[in-house]
Amino acid sequence: MPLYSDTVMDHFQHPRNVGKMEDADGIGEVGNAVCGDIMRMYIKVRDGIITDVSFITFGCGSAIASSSMATEMIKGKPIEEALELSNKAVAQALDGLPAHKLHCSVLAEEAVRAAVKDYYDKNNIAYDPAVFGCDMACAHEHDHTPTEE
Amino acid sequence: MYVYADNAATTAVSPKALEAMLPYFSEVYGNASSLHSPGQRAAEGLQRARETVAKAINADFKEIYFTGCGSEADNQAILSGAALGARKGKKHIVSTAFEHHAVLHTLEKLKKQGYEVTLLDVHENGVVTPDDVAAAIRDDTALVTIMMVNNEIGTVQPIADIAKVCRERGVLFHTDAVQAVGHIPVDVKALDVDMLSMAAHKFHGPKGVGALYARKGVPLVNVIEGGQQERGKRGGTENIAGIVGMAAALEEATADLDKDMAYVTGLREKLIEGLSKIPHSRLNGDREKRVPGTVNFCFEGIEGESLLLLLDARGIAASSGSACTSGSLDPSHVLLALGLPHEIAHGSLRLSIDRMNTEAEIDHIIESVPQVVDYLRGMSPVWDELERGLTPHLI
């Protein structure tokens, strides 16, 4: 059995919304190079809607695929909906990830939230800090232990 | 074109080895321990193979013990050295930080049984010095075990000089020569080693068969208890087809070794030259003291698994020491032992070629790797920060 699903391989080999965004309204970066994966997510926001999104990622195939899938899932969506994006939903949309790669989907969820937080901070938009409870330092050390899909 | 450049992982069984093996599955199927003629024909095949393997490394056939793999040979050699030492009250073992896990995990097991283990530094160039070994040997040292060729970076260790140090100090010496046999000259008498491990599938023989050379007089302990096979030191009906295939492959690999080494070294030099042109890349391991076919590079700002997958899609099979490919959170212990930081070690690529590879294949690698590295750097936040001067380049 191959390591990755066809969907993961498709998003890895043909990543959607990849690249830097010069005029982003919010930028979120999570992970660290010592652990072996870093995701940076850019969002553009108009009237509470994420009108554009892009990413750049240093990491394995599943990290790149998770980033790509996450951008597709939040593009054109209201910010509130983007904040509800779960790592589980990302992994499901990718037709599953190997157990030892699930942290990649956690990183994708966190990258989206970090970008939104940055947008809120830059625009002095009030929010409940509890929404961004974790410090997003390194996904491996996080407590959301997802189960295999 | 699909280029197989992962020969340090395993190789294809050569047509000659396959041809030699085939009769032993269905025609010469007797048990070599049986007295009847089918059994005796199998025993003859086994004996011829033993003599061939012995000759290839300048050993006596009575010093060759066939095993199920190189790892088993490593296990048996180390456990034997440890047991022999313990009988004399010696429970210290010297090895290196970048051995294969077949060695390191066996040493871990022994540590739990009260042995002390000293793992030598392998320096930035991945070569241990005989002086390091001499300094580490103590009065209670039972065994020194140091690999002949490192499997990830391909550096060749000064085995003859290390063996000399061990002999002078009266310490048993084992070398894991799994990546050496069939690729560089291995003469157990010239090297003066006590034990040496090898594996057939690293030199175009079949998987599932290895051998341990143990100099006459070195008492082995069993890893597998059973019948009287392998002079009572390895129970279990012999894998005759595999053993015959191993012998045929080794005979073929060593027949024209000098010529093959010159050819593979030429390809390797071209490969190193081509990949060195990639900015912020680094050849891992000593530039000169290396086996002909193994090349290991780190490329800053990218991660190894994505590099491997994209190379596979472009028709190149390679391997990496990144955490994602090792299945753990840490990158390769070999690259870390060289002193490389994690973020650099994650971006490693091992290409291992041999006499079966062609120059056109090397050209394909040299053309493809820079393109894939560029592409991945283009979407890497790590590379972005390096290029903008936010973090300093490490290589």
Side-chain angles (χ1 to χ4, degrees):
Chain A
M1 205 193 121
L3 175 64
Y4 292 133
S5 71
D6 290 345
T7 314
V8 172
M9 284 308 288
D10 179 38
H11 275 264
F12 165 60
Q13 293 189 304
H14 311 284
R16 278 62 143 180
N17 309 306
V18 66
K20 296 204 284 181
M21 193 188 287
E22 296 305 331
D23 53 349
D25 296 317
I27 304 174
E29 185 169 303
V30 295
N32 80 55
V34 174
C35 303
D37 32 32
I38 297 185
M39 270 178 212
R40 193 190 296 167
M41 192 84 66
Y42 302 86
I43 54 170
K44 212 163 175 48
V45 182
R46 289 291 170 273
D47 303 326
I49 306 284
I50 296 176
T51 55
D52 200 7
V53 52
S54 73
F55 79 93
I56 55 175
T57 289
F58 162 88
C60 56
S62 58
I64 291 170
S66 296
S67 321
S68 168
M69 182 56 87
T71 62
E72 290 236 294
M73 293 173 83
I74 64 166
K75 198 170 184 174
K77 297 279 167 60
I79 280 187
E80 292 70 26
E81 253 182 69
L83 284 176
E84 279 166 20
L85 179 76
S86 69
N87 71 286
K88 210 171 165 183
V90 173
Q92 255 165 14
L94 287 168
D95 293 330
L97 285 171
H100 66 289
K101 299 286 189 178
L102 279 168
H103 70 269
C104 294
S105 60
V106 176
L107 269 187
E109 172 195 321
E110 290 177 352
V112 170
R113 296 161 74 82
V116 169
K117 184 174 183 296
D118 183 55
Y119 164 72
Y120 282 166
D121 289 341
K122 278 178 177 158
N123 293 279
N124 297 313
I125 297 171
Y127 57 84
D128 175 5
V131 175
F132 305 101
C134 63
D135 64 3
M136 298 171 190
C138 183
H140 304 309
E141 287 157 25
H142 279 210
D143 212 6
H144 359 182
T145 314
T147 50
E148 193 172 3
E149 298 303 321
Chain B
M1 180 187 279
Y2 194 92
V3 184
Y4 186 75
D6 201 15
N7 289 285
T10 194
T11 58
V13 173
S14 79
K16 268 190 189 168
L18 181 62
E19 194 190 350
M21 291 171 74
L22 286 175
Y24 288 89
F25 287 105
S26 50
E27 292 166 40
V28 192
Y29 53 81
N31 187 321
S33 302
S34 301
L35 280 176
H36 47 61
S37 45
Q40 287 315 295
R41 282 185 67 199
E44 284 160 20
L46 177 62
Q47 177 59 18
R48 275 197 302 274
R50 198 183 304 283
E51 287 169 10
T52 303
V53 169
K55 190 175 160 224
I57 60 167
N58 195 23
D60 187 274
F61 72 85
K62 287 178 185 163
E63 297 171 316
I64 301 296
Y65 299 84
F66 289 111
T67 62
C69 52
S71 293
E72 186 192 329
D74 283 338
N75 273 249
Q76 188 166 16
I78 293 167
L79 295 174
S80 298
L84 185 64
R87 274 192 259 151
K88 301 172 188 164
K90 296 179 176 184
K91 296 187 85 174
H92 174 242
I93 300 172
V94 176
S95 189
T96 76
F98 73 166
E99 295 296 312
H100 190 272
H101 285 127
V103 169
L104 290 179
H105 289 174
T106 304
L107 295 177
E108 281 302 314
K109 184 161 89 175
L110 287 170
K111 270 164 86 173
K112 286 182 194 136
Q113 296 169 14
Y115 287 82
E116 261 188 86
V117 174
T118 300
L119 294 184
L120 298 175
D121 183 23
V122 298
H123 309 285
E124 204 193 346
N125 67 343
V127 180
V128 182
T129 69
D131 286 347
D132 294 339
V133 178
I137 291 176
R138 315 189 310 209
D139 290 341
D140 65 340
T141 301
L143 173 74
V144 173
T145 172
I146 293 175
M147 69 199 326
M148 188 160 184
V149 171
N150 181 269
N151 51 312
E152 287 189 36
I153 58 173
T155 50
V156 180
Q157 308 305 310
I159 293 303
D161 294 337
I162 293 171
K164 192 161 170 257
V165 168
C166 294
R167 186 70 68 215
E168 282 165 8
R169 304 285 290 272
V171 177
L172 207 62
F173 179 52
H174 163 251
T175 184
D176 168 359
V178 164
Q179 295 286 344
V181 173
H183 298 281
I184 58 173
V186 175
D187 177 328
V188 293
K189 292 206 171 68
L191 292 172
D192 197 23
V193 295
D194 295 308
M195 292 181 282
L196 178 146
S197 311
M198 57 183 120
H201 74 107
K202 305 293 191 187
F203 49 78
H204 298 280
K207 294 162 188 63
V209 55
L212 174 62
Y213 156 81
R215 193 172 50 79
K216 237 168 256 168
V218 173
L220 296 181
V221 297
N222 286 42
V223 173
I224 297 178
E225 301 292 350
Q228 281 306 303
Q229 294 90 353
E230 301 304 301
R231 302 160 64 83
K233 295 303 173 191
R234 206 275 184 179
T237 299
E238 303 90 343
N239 171 9
I240 310 256
I243 289 166
V244 166
M246 178 180 200
L250 186 55
E251 192 170 32
E252 192 183 1
T254 50
D256 249 332
L257 193 56
D258 289 347
K259 194 172 127 248
D260 290 339
M261 281 176 67
Y263 170 72
V264 179
T265 302
L267 295 183
R268 180 199 73 195
E269 288 304 297
K270 186 172 185 180
L271 191 54
I272 291 177
E273 196 186 316
L275 297 183
S276 295
K277 289 179 185 154
I278 298 175
H280 302 289
S281 63
R282 174 192 201 273
L283 174 72
N284 294 313
D286 194 276
R287 182 70 185 77
E288 306 299 329
K289 295 169 186 161
R290 51 177 54 249
V291 77
T294 299
V295 167
N296 189 307
F297 267 87
C298 280
F299 305 109
E300 208 176 10
I302 64 168
E303 191 280 329
E305 191 212 79
S306 44
L307 177 61
L308 288 193
L309 291 171
L310 290 176
L311 286 177
D312 182 45
R314 283 167 174 256
I316 297 167
S319 79
S320 169
S322 84
C324 281
T325 54
S326 73
S328 74
L329 295 183
D330 286 319
S332 138
H333 70 286
V334 174
L335 299 177
L336 296 181
L338 297 181
L340 290 179
H342 278 62
E343 49 270 53
I344 299 296
H346 283 305
S348 76
L349 174 70
R350 179 187 71 180
L351 294 156
S352 44
I353 54 171
D354 72 7
R355 68 181 197 276
M356 304 294 190
N357 290 101
T358 65
E359 189 161 359
E361 291 180 336
I362 303 303
D363 290 335
H364 181 58
I365 297 173
I366 294 173
E367 191 191 332
S368 305
V369 173
Q371 291 169 359
V372 174
V373 168
D374 264 1
Y375 169 74
L376 286 171
R377 280 177 172 173
M379 67 157 94
S380 162
V382 174
W383 185 250
D384 180 56
E385 295 206 345
L386 290 166
E387 282 302 277
R388 288 196 288 149
L390 298 175
T391 49
H393 281 287
L394 295 173
I395 52 176

